[in-house]
C-alpha cells in the first residue's frame, strides 16, 4: 500500500517571501500522479498542482512549483511571493496510474501554513 | 449544479443516534467518492461509486457505515448508532470518470460532532 508523509505539521512565512512544504511517499509502482491540495477554512479541497511521475520536468502553476525527486520519492511544494490568501492547510496526495485502484487518492496528514503580514 | 454540494454543513448528534449525510455531485459526473477527515489527519478513503454501483467499499470503518447512490446523482452516507470516534469532517467528491485523467471536484464537507 502507498503511504504519504508530511513531516511539517505547521509552517509560517512572511508575506512576499518563499516557503517550501515537504512531502515524501512510499510506493512500489513506477507510474503514478502526485498532487498538492489546499484546504482553506471553507473546507473545500482545491487542487494546487499536479505532477505525473513519468514526466521529469517539474510542474509549475504561477507562484507554485514542485521539486519532484522520483528516486528519493520526494515531492515538495514551493510557494513564491507568498500572499495572505495562501494561508491554509496543504495536503500532499498520491494517485496510482494503474487500472486497479487509480480512482483513489492517498493523502498525507497536512501542513498548516500561516502567512504573516 | 456548478459544484459539489453537501448537506448539512454541520451536524451535532447524540451518541447512539443515526445520521444521514447528503452529497449532490456535479451533473454528469459518473464517479463519486466519500472521504473522512478526522481532526489533525489527512483524508481517509471511505467508498467509491461508479454510477449507482459501489465497486470499492473497502474504506468503510465498520458495518455501522453504509452509503448509497441513486439516479447516478445524489449519494447518502448513513452512520448508525453514532460513536464519538465518528466525529469528523465527511467530504464528498465527484469526477467525470474514474480514470486517473479525471480530476476530483470536492464539496465543502459535513462536520459531524457526536456528543
Amino acid at each position: 500500500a502507498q503511504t504519504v508523509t508530511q513531516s511539517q505539521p505547521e509552517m509560517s512565512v512572511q508575506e512576499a517571501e518563499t516557503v517550501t512544504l515537504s512531502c515524501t511517499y512510499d510506493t512500489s509502482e513506477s507510474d503514478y500522479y502526485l498532487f498538492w491540495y489546499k484546504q482553506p477554512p471553507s473546507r473545500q479541497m482545491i487542487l494546487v498542482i499536479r505532477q505525473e511521475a513519468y514526466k521529469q520536468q517539474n510542474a509549475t502553476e504561477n507562484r507554485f512549483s514542485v521539486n519532484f525527486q522520483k528516486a528519493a520519492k520526494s515531492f515538495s511544494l514551493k510557494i513564491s511571493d507568498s500572499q495572505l490568501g495562501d494561508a491554509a492547510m496543504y495536503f500532499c496526495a498520491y494517485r496510482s496510474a494503474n487500472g486497479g485502484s487509480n480512482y483513489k487518492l492517498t493523502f498525507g496528514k497536512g501542513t498548516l501554513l500561516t502567512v504573516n503580514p | 449544479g456548478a459544484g459539489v454540494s453537501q448537506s448539512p454543513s454541520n451536524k451535532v448528534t447524540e451518541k447512539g443516534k443515526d445520521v444521514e449525510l447528503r452529497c449532490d455531485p456535479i451533473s454528469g459526473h459518473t464517479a463519486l467518492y466519500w472521504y473522512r477527515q478526522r481532526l489533525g489527519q489527512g483524508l481517509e478513503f471511505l467508498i467509491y461509486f461508479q454510477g449507482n454501483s459501489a465497486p470499492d467499499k473497502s474504506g468503510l470503518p465498520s458495518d455501522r457505515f453504509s452509503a448509497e447512490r441513486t439516479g447516478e446523482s445524489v449519494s447518502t452516507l448513513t452512520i448508525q448508532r453514532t460513536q464519538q470516534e465518528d466525529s469528523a469532517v465527511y467530504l464528498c467528491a465527484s469526477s467525470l470518470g474514474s480514470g486517473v485523467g479525471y480530476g476530483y471536484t470536492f464539496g465543502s464537507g459535513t462536520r459531524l460532532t457526536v456528543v
Side-chain angles (χ1 to χ4, degrees), chain B residues 34-55:
Chain B
W34 284 97
Y35 284 77
R36 178 172 72 174
Q37 184 179 17
R38 290 171 159 169
L39 187 64
Q41 303 294 313
L43 279 68
E44 306 169 80
F45 170 81
L46 295 179
I47 188 169
Y48 150 61
F49 286 94
Q50 180 58 46
N52 293 333
S53 301

Side-chain angles (χ1 to χ4, degrees), chain A residues 28-41:
Chain A
S28 59
E29 299 178 325
S30 59
D31 198 10
Y32 49 87
Y33 291 73
L34 297 165
F35 304 85
W36 280 98
Y37 281 89
K38 170 184 178 181
Q39 187 181 41

